[in-house]
Amino acid sequence: MRLLCLRALWWRKGVLSLVRVDDYQPESYPAARVPLFPVVSAGTFTTPTRMVLPSVLDAKWVLHVTYGRMAIGLALRDMGIRPGEKVLIPAYHCLSMVAPVEWSGAKPVYYRVREDTSVDLEDIRGRVDRSTRALMVTHYFGFPQNMGAIRTFCDSMGLVLLEDCAHVIFGEYEGSPLGSFGDYTIASPMKFFPIYDGGLLTSHRRPLDRITLSPLGWTFSLRAAVILLERSLEYRRLGPAGLVLAVPLWLKTVLLRIAKAVGPGKPEEWWGPAVGERSSGRTGDFEPRWMDRRMSQTSRTLMRLASKPRLAVARRRNYAFLLERLSGLPGARPLFPALPDGVVPFAFPLLVDDPAPIFHSLKAQGVPIMRFGEFLSEEIDPAAFPEAIDLSHQVFQFPCHQEMTQKDLDWLAETVRKELLAAADAPHRIAG
C-alpha cells in the first residue's frame, strides 16, 4: 500500500509545499548490506582496554524492561500523572515517545527544538501552565543537551524531568553521567548492544521499588537467542562458528514451519511473543501488556558480557572516520561537526539539502539508513515548528556501531559520497 503522510506538508523558507516523502514501499528495497544495529560477532565479548565509562547504568535504581517506550509509560504511571495533565515533548520526536503519554491519559504538548537539535527553553517556558506536569528532553544521536540549565529550569517550574536517553548508554555532561539529571531516565540498549529486546528505566532521584516486573519466560529467551544468531549469520559475523551453527538453525526454520502448519494454538503460545520486533516508526507500537514485563534473560546476559570499552572506542572511531569522509560534500553537512570528549554516539547524522531522491537511491543500493522522526505527530504544525519538519526529512542517520568492519565503513562512505557528488553534478549535466 502506498502511503501519503499528512506531515508531508513541508514549510521551508516561507514556502508551503507538498512533499510525498512517505510515498514508497519499504519492502521494495533490498536488505541492508551492513547491519543497521549491532549483531553478535566473534569480537563482541573482547575488551581491548580497561576504561571508566560513565553510563545510564550507573543509576541507583535500574529496571530492565522490554522497550524504552514501556519505560516512559512506567515513569508516567509511577509519578502518578492524571488524565488531562500535560507532558512537554520535543517537536522533533518519534511516535514511540508520544504513544505512552497518550496511553496514560495525559496531553502531549510540543515544544521547539533548534536547527542543531538543542532545546529552546524560552519556547518551553511559554507553554507551561498549571496543568503541565513533566518535560521530556532527548539527547539526539548521543550528543547531550544543556542538562544543567534544563535541570534548573525544571526545579524552578516544578516539573518532573524525563531524561530521554534512547540514543545514549555511555556518556557524560559536565562530569556527570547522562541519565543522572532526570527524575526518571529511559534508555534503549537495543541500539547499542546486540540484543533482541530491552529498554531501561533508571533514576538517581526517585526509588523505583513500587514497580514490579514479571519475566517473559524461557521460550521467549530461546526465541531471542535464535534470532540473534540468525542475524549474525546473515551478516557473516561469527567466523568459523557460523558454519557450525548454520545447519541446526536451518533445521529450526524447517521444524518451525511444520509446527505452524500442524500445531494447535497461536505461535506465541509455544515460541514466545513478538515483543522484540523493532517499531515501524509509524505508530509507536505501544502495547501496554508488555509494560510490566522484564527484559529477556538472553538480552540481560549479553548486555552484561559484551565489552563496554570496545563498544565506546569503536563507536567514537567509526564516527570520526565518517566525519572525515562525509564532510565538505556538496548539498550535505554533518549535523554534529565535532565529537566532544565524553560522547559515545548512537549514529552518524548527516543533514542533506535535497533528501528525497538521495534517500531512495541509497536505500535501493542497500545502504543502512534511517531518519529519526520521519513520522511525526499529526499535531505538529509545519508553520510553528519548521526546524522539526526540516530535521525529520533532511537528517539521514548512518550506523557507526562497534560491529562495523573497516570494509563496511569504506563502502558506506564511498557510496554516500558518490551519490551526493552525482546529485550535485546532475543540474550541470541538464543545463549542458
Side-chain angles (χ1 to χ4, degrees), residues 215-268:
L216 283 167
W218 71 268
T219 55
F220 183 82
S221 290
L222 176 61
R223 173 192 178 124
V226 170
I227 290 177
L228 289 173
L229 289 174
E230 289 175 334
R231 289 176 181 171
S232 297
L233 287 174
E234 178 184 357
Y235 289 103
R236 301 178 182 179
R237 290 302 199 268
L238 291 176
L243 298 176
V244 177
L245 292 167
V247 173
L249 288 175
W250 174 79
L251 288 174
K252 181 275 305 179
T253 301
V254 173
L255 292 173
L256 190 58
R257 287 175 179 171
I258 294 173
K260 286 183 177 181
V262 303
K266 297 179 180 179
E268 59 263 26

Side-chain angles (χ1 to χ4, degrees), residues 63-82:
L63 295 179
H64 294 75
V65 301
T66 53
Y67 264 131
R69 70 199 74 154
M70 306 307 170
I72 297 174
L74 287 169
L76 294 171
R77 189 177 69 187
D78 190 70
M79 76 171 66
I81 198 162
R82 295 187 294 272

Side-chain angles (χ1 to χ4, degrees), residues 36-89:
L36 186 59
F37 296 96
V39 295
V40 178
S41 76
T44 295
F45 309 105
T46 61
T47 304
T49 182
R50 294 193 176 276
M51 58 191 302
V52 177
L53 296 170
S55 172
V56 172
L57 294 164
D58 294 340
K60 185 175 182 180
W61 292 279
V62 178
L63 295 179
H64 294 75
V65 301
T66 53
Y67 264 131
R69 70 199 74 154
M70 306 307 170
I72 297 174
L74 287 169
L76 294 171
R77 189 177 69 187
D78 190 70
M79 76 171 66
I81 198 162
R82 295 187 294 272
E85 292 184 324
K86 298 175 182 178
V87 177
L88 291 156
I89 300 176

Side-chain angles (χ1 to χ4, degrees), residues 106-126:
K107 176 178 174 55
V109 175
Y110 300 98
Y111 65 84
R112 178 175 176 257
V113 172
R114 300 184 183 92
E115 293 179 354
D116 63 356
T117 74
S118 62
V119 168
D120 187 339
L121 280 178
E122 289 308 309
D123 183 78
I124 294 174
R125 190 183 302 276

